[in-house]
Amino acid sequence: MIKNNYYFGLDIGSTTVKGVLLKNTNGEKEIVWKKYERHETRQAEKVLDYLHELEALFPEIFKINSTDLQIFLTGSGGSAIEKVIGAKYYQEVLCVSYAVEKFHPDVNSVIELGGQDAKIILYKDSGDPDQKRKIMTMNDKCAGGTGAVIDKISGKLNLNSEKLKKIQYKGIKLHPVAGKCGVFAETDINGLQKLGVPSEELMASLFEAIVQQNLSVLTRGNTIIPKVILLGGPNTFIPGLQDAWRENFQILWNERDVELPKDLTLEELVFVPEDGAYFAALGAVSYGMVDHIEESASLLYAGSAKLQAYIEERKERISGHNSGLAKDAAELLDFKKKYIPQNWIPPVFEEGIVINGYMGLDGGSTSTKGVLIDENGDIVATEYLLSKGNPIEDTIQVIKGLREQIEKNGATLKIAGIGTTGYAKDILKDIFQCDIAVVETVAHTIAAKTYYPHVDVIVDVGGQDIKIIHLKDGIIKDFKLNTQCSAGNGYFLQNTAEGFGYNVTEFSDVAFSATKFPQFGYGCAVFLQTDIVDFQRQGWEAPEILAGLADVLPKNIWQYVAKIPNLSSLGKTFVLQGGTQKNIAAVKSQVDYIKDKFNGENVEPEVIVHKFTNVCGAIGAAFEAKNETVGPSRFIGLDKAIEVKYESHHNEETRCYYCKNKCIRTFIDVSLTNEENSEKRRLIIAPCEKGSTEDVKVMKLKKREIEAIKSLNPNVVEEASKLAWKGQADSVGNIQKEMVINRAVKFFSNDKNKRKERANKVIGFPRVLLHYNLQPFYTAYFESLGYQYKNFVFSDFTSEKMFKEGSKRGTVDPCFPAKISLAHIHDLLEKNKKRKIDYIFFPAVQSYSTGLPNVIDNRACPTVTGATDMAYSAFTKESDTFSEHGIQFLKPFLKMDMPAVVEKEFYQDLKATLNLSVDENKIAIHAGFAALKEFKKSIEKRGKEIIDQVKSQKRIALVLIARTYHNDPGVNHGILELFQERGYPVLPMSALPTDKEFLGEVFSDSEDYNMDPMDIDDVWKNSFSASSSLKIWASKVIARHPNLIPIELSSFKCGHDSTLYSTIEKIMEKSDTPFFSFKDIDENNPAGSIKIRVETIDYFLSKYIQKLNDKKNLLSTRLEKIFANS
Amino acid sequence: MGKNSVVTEEKKGHFKTFTTKQFKKSEIAHTTIIVGGLSMAADRIVAAAWEGLGYKVLPLSVPDMEAMQLGKEYCDGGLCNPTYFTIGNLVKFLNNLHKQGVSKKDIVDNYLFLTAGSCGPCRFGMYEYEYRLALNNAGYSGFRVQTFQMQGKLNQGTSEDAIVMDLQFFRALLTALIVSDHFNNFTYMMTPYEVVQGSVHEAIDKCILIMQEYFKQSGKDPYIKNFLLKSWMNKGSKKDLRQLIEQLRGKEIEKYLKKCSNILSSVQVDYTRMKPKVKITGEFWAQTTEGDGNYQMFSFLQSQGCEIIVETVSAWIVYLIWLADNQREEVSGVDANGLITWRTPVKYLKDFYNRKVNNLIFGIATFFFTSQYNRYGKILKYPAAALISVKTLEKVASKYMQVKFDGGEGFLEVAKNIYYTTAHKSNMVLSVKPFGCMPSTISDSVQSKVVTDYKDMVFLPVETSGEGKINALSRVQMALGEAKAKAVQEYSNLLAKYNLDASKVAELKIKFDPETSALVKIPEIKGYRLRVSHYIHYLLKLAGKI
């Protein structure tokens, strides 16, 4: 007979297993046993431990076919073993909701953070007073904004759980950290850490980021209503995170006028219950007890032995790659013999010998490396140190180590020159007064070419970055860097190995021991992490997982980062270098991959592991120092370098007030010895040049210098982004005059009152998306109708602050340019508080004209068109925010490429609201198009001036190939300004002249003769998207003009751009035009990786310009002839 | 280094996009046309339909994870997963051919891929290029990919083209799609209730073979006596007219469909099973595919005890007709390049007349297609649901979304969610869409407001990316929990209302309807969503209790 006096709830999560045994006494349930433990990715094994313990503690209850026990499971590992142990599985959010409803029925919102899940449950009015409506949301596959990110970062910052509990949030300085993605967060934290930001600030910033991420996406635009219960491990155990929720809720409730119960404190309104970590397990029991499904009543405990057997046998059930990384021991031995670089034995120098050495220092993201070469270019010492978090400290140790190696037997080291490279190259150069700072890409190329002059491809896999450098005849032809996303790179491999309890040096032996392995999907490291958990759940063991990760590395390199399917097109000699290539298992899979890609070709690839693979950057820096140091080195000297003391400050006191951005800078106070009166210097690390001094006079001087550089190198992208918002009185006046006279329409006299009324109305325009190219039309349209430009209110340019404050109503997670629409509408609503806005104008633009012939369509991207509906829904979801503010939201649907249709659409959609007449609408439309034409004309004029200038000066201008909204400084992250400051004028695509004269010259090649220079049909057949077509056309122009170089920007999730990647690349490649792109840019601003790219590009461009100037016979080339005629 | 490094030589040469040779009439005999990308039934039947036109046609199998990985390897980065799955599936097929010993040259010369094209505006419009790029990257440079536009006019292509995209071509395609829609409907409607496990699939498999047989011979000119045709008509028009008449009369297809109906009638079902209904919506491909492309969602939902309502390709075709009509309407009477000019009364009347004529043409097209769909359903005699009119859907969605928004599914996702909830057609609406799908992202943002307004709605959007299956399915289970609770409530209330319990219902069934054929039409009772609820009413009526 079933008695069911005991209920066992188990929550088998991604990182922990929570178990709770309840005893039922007269309907009351009492917890008689509970446990919360990390399972270290061995879910089933941990459950088995629990069952063993329970069988020992409660032998009468936990016996096979016990009639006194029912087991209910939940969590990501629950469903796999429900039948094995005789339990019933329920989904975890449902379980949590049941527990909350049972134990805390007065709760309106639930926030649960798990290892890889984030869940929000909201209880809303259902219309039925007896029943609340439940809205449940859960993160998608991405574990951004969850406990996994906290785990990863706290591990990186060496904060154990005890230290983590002590991290405060209140009153702690917060820094911008992306919470959206664990990898992005890590990139931001890395950068901040290198600026000396203390761990507690980093962690508090991460708490903030996690809260923001969940509020902006996971709430799906719903307001979190108190009381709020915080559940799950991170929420339960980290008080700082609890405070972050509380503080953000308070701001939100103030903003949205949420009425709060007066008798409760904030801690009571947002609370962590007792047993908060066990709620899912408790809920599983609650749900199980009410579940109607009959089988739950008949489920009987199967005993731990069955689970034990399941664990032992599951290996046979799983499928994967059916052999190890090597086919057999013989192949492995052969491989190792060939590919493990021979141990380098450092030379020993006896007393009295003086070594005049050149030192190379590589301050990388996860390690610091040093190399010494002698005057002959022979390596005499190397040093490799895993980063302890501070690059200065690490470098001192490396210098010490190098010196020690030379001087240990009494020889003397003298530094003749010293070069730096890596993330920290500039700081190191300044502190130690080194002679040269070398761009990483260049340093790695030097290292490869020095030892393997016939190299075609360099594959550098470092801690954070993957670089692929393609050389042709010994000259760099192209390079690929991973974007901010670190796809299964060295640091990830190291981390995973350490997670399994192996030192990184043991990785390859462990991985080679696997005789089969799971196959990972390549790509994002976060997803790889999810896969690891899943594979372990299936029964794969650590060696097999590590083998699988080694196997996926070449796919990440070639398919994810480089996107090069045909490796043989690059050449045949591949040099593998970077710290990760020390891992011979990773090398094996790369060699196999490369060889496989040559299968069927008549060429055999030669794959070489660099003999100094882990210090290549430093080697390059040392050689460059040797080549470039003229006269004595600037170096402060070994004694001083080793004694360097420094203090780092990054706080309110370091804030810069030289412009409205008011950035916080990092001050590093360096003293060269311990003595009181030692030389002291202050290094200032600032986001821009202006901020790199404390002295206002110096700052002004610098500012003047910058202005001078800027005026010589105009940034027309910036100019266009400002010009779009100007008044259009001239266009309006001309059109009105023309049309009134021509058509004798006396519209002014029609209704003076109407126009008078309009003159006082205030219109808000969000500064987003297509407004960047269509706003002149809108401005002229409304001005023509009698609305006054002075009454037009524009939202601010996008900024981090605006995004953070205004995007909390987010319901979905689209591309960043679309997502910020909400923040701009929010900004207008804020402005409305100071100045009453009558209308917000945010049309849904479906198409717009490009001026290109023979295109199939002129579509805007669907996300851009739909952003209007997205924003409108978000602000009218719970209540109509616009009407509450007395604002009318105008959202006509527009086909801007068809004037007559636009006229109809404006009239139909706005006639009632604006009291339009047919005539005035028609004239206003005319005025709009005239303004648009003028706008385009003036930008083209600027473009023409600059192109003429750079041509005559034999310089280059960069052309931004991007969608118009990339003109927004908040979307382009100021990348273009970085180029401008380095001496390159920057043009938007719209500045490329379209006049016959210019195009005739550019397209005068014989193969272009029969083609309209505006036509793109020869390179792009699927011309549906307006912006895509324009990008292609601009690419064609740039590819034919020697003084124009493209910089492509593309936002993460941009569907239209993704289909253009290869075509634009091919256009540039075929014409041998250097091509640079920043892909997947998103809401975070990874300054470190942007900097490396900008520097590398600058280096490439300097060589290109050199060639433009050097090559005397350029005069005889086709292009020169063209320009001579112009 | 440094001093010798020069980045590039002067700019030279210019890129031209991929071109492939024409598929000529003379090549028909030795060329195999590969098709794929729809449901399993649709791919098989469409292949047979085009075989009936004289081509060698081969349907691809359902794309799996291996296909996706190949797609990712050879296409551009950042695309949506239908691209990776479908393109990778073609590459996988060709690779297998190559492994079997067919040379790459022979593959390029003797095979061709035929697929529906699109006029944008999402990534889908650029698929054709991605096919060419991937095939080129995979070593099949010059492999032919031919597209046809579902929204295009008849007679796409030139007279040299082997594939003549005329009325015959589209008639074969559309008829095949309608038939496969019905087969899919039947499969997913009946499987949860089949008495003998596997009987539904077995029956449908037989039906597919029968219809393949029909299509393979139906491409020939239908037998319509010449006296029906006016002598002034040219040969092509006569042929077209014959096709139309045959389509309307449809005696031949009726014969075959009846054979299918007989087979389906033998399937026994038990509607006393309580199965929450889940309507599948979402992006066209993700909601259609039956494999890894949507985490095998259909079989997963069935394993969770649900009945699923799949989407038909026919509904999509009706939407395309509506869209074309609306887009025409929008530009009618205006000169697209200039502003609206004053119209004389004559011009005004002429425009008005043209507009009405066009409306009529599109109206006839919709009627014609819908009536064919309904007719086949009637011949098959199974309880087919009628196609929902786009006007009905437009009406419910217009409050939330610009119905002119036409990327991807446009307003359909929003509309179906509201419709299936308010018309009591399902307990839950599950929208499956590829990760980063642009139009679906917009409808999801709007759905958030819709869900707030419709308080009894259970709606879940799921992004499919190939990876992350566990999380996605877990989220589905989360929403299903709510849907199941609502279903249980309906079921329990109904039992309570008539003082029944499960065993009493079973008794009623044994007594009054011991053997239920899948073709029996159970009347739907207003206000009830579950099939079991309708069935209990049916039983009670048989028992004379209501």
Side-chain angles (χ1 to χ4, degrees), chain B residues 419-433:
Chain B
Y419 176 79
Y420 276 86
T421 304
T422 54
H424 296 96
K425 297 285 180 191
S426 71
N427 299 90
M428 168 176 157
V429 176
L430 175 68
S431 169
V432 280
K433 65 276 308 285

Side-chain angles (χ1 to χ4, degrees), chain A residues 782-801:
Chain A
F782 284 103
E783 279 192 86
S784 170
L785 292 176
Y787 295 92
Q788 302 289 305
Y789 177 70
K790 62 178 185 192
N791 291 336
F792 291 179
V793 176
F794 301 102
S795 60
D796 291 342
F797 283 104
T798 307
S799 66
E800 262 172 25
K801 186 171 170 275

Side-chain angles (χ1 to χ4, degrees), chain A residues 620-895:
Chain A
F623 274 95
E624 196 68 343
K626 182 171 177 287
N627 285 343
E628 302 290 334
T629 308
V630 183
S633 172
R634 291 173 64 238
F635 182 45
I636 55 172
L638 289 166
D639 293 335
K640 280 185 177 175
I642 290 164
E643 287 293 310
V644 158
K645 294 281 175 287
Y646 65 91
E647 262 181 75
S648 188
H649 311 276
H650 186 85
N651 50 37
E652 272 312 309
E653 284 168 24
T654 66
R655 192 179 285 284
C656 170
Y657 293 95
Y658 296 156
C659 78
K660 65 180 168 73
N661 291 343
K662 295 180 185 155
C663 306
I664 292 192
R665 299 169 291 181
T666 299
F667 289 177
I668 304 176
D669 292 330
V670 183
S671 49
L672 297 182
T673 63
N674 268 336
E675 292 157 22
E676 281 281 312
N677 57 353
S678 72
E679 188 187 335
K680 281 193 179 155
R681 283 189 294 125
R682 169 165 281 184
L683 297 175
I684 298 176
I685 301 166
C688 78
E689 272 289 302
K690 289 195 294 283
S692 61
T693 177
E694 286 178 283
D695 186 332
V696 179
K697 277 183 196 159
V698 179
M699 181 279 289
K700 282 186 177 164
L701 207 65
K702 283 195 178 214
K703 203 174 165 185
R704 269 208 295 278
E705 272 172 35
I706 295 166
E707 290 311 321
I709 294 174
K710 280 188 169 180
S711 70
L712 280 174
N713 301 286
N715 181 351
V716 186
V717 172
E718 194 188 351
E719 290 174 20
S721 76
K722 288 177 181 161
L723 195 64
W725 319 101
K726 301 280 182 213
Q728 301 294 340
D730 289 348
S731 297
V732 172
N734 292 340
I735 288 293
Q736 285 185 345
K737 220 191 274 172
E738 191 183 307
M739 292 197 66
V740 172
I741 293 164
N742 289 351
R743 301 193 54 243
V745 180
K746 295 177 182 172
F747 65 93
F748 283 117
S749 57
N750 277 355
D751 194 342
K752 277 185 185 163
N753 287 338
K754 192 160 83 176
R755 295 185 72 81
K756 204 170 157 191
E757 200 182 302
R758 285 175 183 168
N760 295 320
K761 294 281 184 192
V762 179
I763 309 178
F765 298 92
R767 227 185 270 253
V768 284
L769 299 170
L770 291 175
H771 284 256
Y772 275 92
N773 48 343
L774 296 174
Q775 184 62 39
F777 180 101
Y778 307 146
T779 301
Y781 178 84
F782 284 103
E783 279 192 86
S784 170
L785 292 176
Y787 295 92
Q788 302 289 305
Y789 177 70
K790 62 178 185 192
N791 291 336
F792 291 179
V793 176
F794 301 102
S795 60
D796 291 342
F797 283 104
T798 307
S799 66
E800 262 172 25
K801 186 171 170 275
M802 179 206 254
F803 177 61
K804 189 182 158 189
E805 284 171 3
S807 56
K808 289 174 196 156
R809 288 178 192 267
T811 52
V812 287
D813 199 12
C815 62
F816 182 58
K819 195 157 39 176
I820 53 173
S821 304
L822 263 61
H824 282 266
I825 300 294
H826 178 266
D827 189 52
L828 287 173
L829 290 172
E830 287 299 304
K831 287 189 161 56
N832 178 60
K833 289 177 185 165
K834 290 175 195 152
R835 185 180 185 192
K836 177 77 193 69
I837 292 175
D838 297 288
Y839 308 113
I840 288 179
F841 185 73
F842 189 14
V845 179
Q846 196 197 42
S847 52
Y848 56 95
S849 183
T850 58
L852 303 176
N854 304 324
V855 289
I856 302 171
D857 210 336
N858 291 312
R859 287 304 189 93
C861 140
T863 312
V864 170
T865 310
T868 305
D869 275 341
M870 180 176 78
Y872 182 74
S873 299
F875 284 91
T876 56
K877 183 185 152 89
E878 291 178 330
S879 62
D880 188 342
T881 317
F882 300 115
S883 60
E884 284 164 10
H885 284 77
I887 296 171
Q888 279 181 283
F889 191 84
L890 308 180
K891 53 182 186 87
F893 192 86
L894 305 176
K895 290 181 175 169

Side-chain angles (χ1 to χ4, degrees), chain A residues 32-80:
Chain A
V32 292
W33 179 94
K34 65 179 179 182
K35 199 151 218 175
Y36 175 106
E37 283 184 4
R38 282 182 172 259
H39 54 61
E40 309 299 343
T41 66
R42 289 168 168 264
Q43 288 174 322
E45 285 84 344
K46 182 55 72 182
V47 173
L48 186 63
D49 288 350
Y50 284 15
L51 293 183
H52 281 154
E53 188 179 330
L54 287 162
E55 282 174 0
L57 283 172
F58 306 95
E60 287 307 307
I61 310 299
F62 279 80
K63 61 184 181 190
I64 294 173
N65 293 338
S66 169
T67 54
D68 209 10
L69 172 70
Q70 272 201 300
I71 306 180
F72 300 105
L73 307 181
T74 187
S76 61
S79 58

